[in-house]
Amino acid sequence: MSDPIETAILEKLAKLGPGKSIEPAEVAKELQPEQWQRMLPKVRACALGLMRHGKLTITKKGKPVDPNAFKGVIRLRLPTEAETAAALAALPPAPESDED
């Protein structure tokens, strides 16, 4: 089952031109217009997961942020090929299977 927050983030970004970004609040307001402030931490957490898997770039003042140490106002955009490669290289290696 697909995460509705992840889907909303990626759909909004897909509609934008290359290099364009959105605020996490835009996604939160779309999903829960009446209580978007409560949704915002979930959107930010989902964005962080997407960034760690190379599907999204989180920026601050137009520059990518360290996924382990950022706070404050951020924006979300689709990653460049180099950013995707760097994110995937930072993931821990997949465990080898013991199929004989």
Side-chain angles (χ1 to χ4, degrees), residues 50-88:
L50 288 169
M51 183 177 183
R52 288 193 169 127
H53 286 94
K55 296 179 180 179
L56 177 77
T57 297
I58 299 174
T59 63
K60 187 169 186 164
K61 296 184 180 179
K63 295 185 173 33
V65 299
D66 177 353
N68 299 312
F70 73 90
K71 59 184 177 178
V73 178
I74 60 169
R75 293 190 65 85
L76 314 175
R77 67 170 167 80
L78 293 175
T80 63
E81 288 182 27
E83 290 166 345
T84 300
L88 295 177

Side-chain angles (χ1 to χ4, degrees), residues 8-28:
I9 291 170
L10 295 175
E11 283 180 358
K12 277 188 105 38
L13 289 172
K15 293 176 185 175
L16 300 176
K20 301 289 183 184
S21 62
I22 60 171
E23 295 179 10
E26 292 177 44
V27 177

Side-chain angles (χ1 to χ4, degrees), residues 18-37:
K20 301 289 183 184
S21 62
I22 60 171
E23 295 179 10
E26 292 177 44
V27 177
K29 288 175 183 177
E30 181 179 298
L31 294 172
Q32 284 192 340
E34 299 296 319
Q35 296 182 331
W36 67 269
Q37 295 94 336

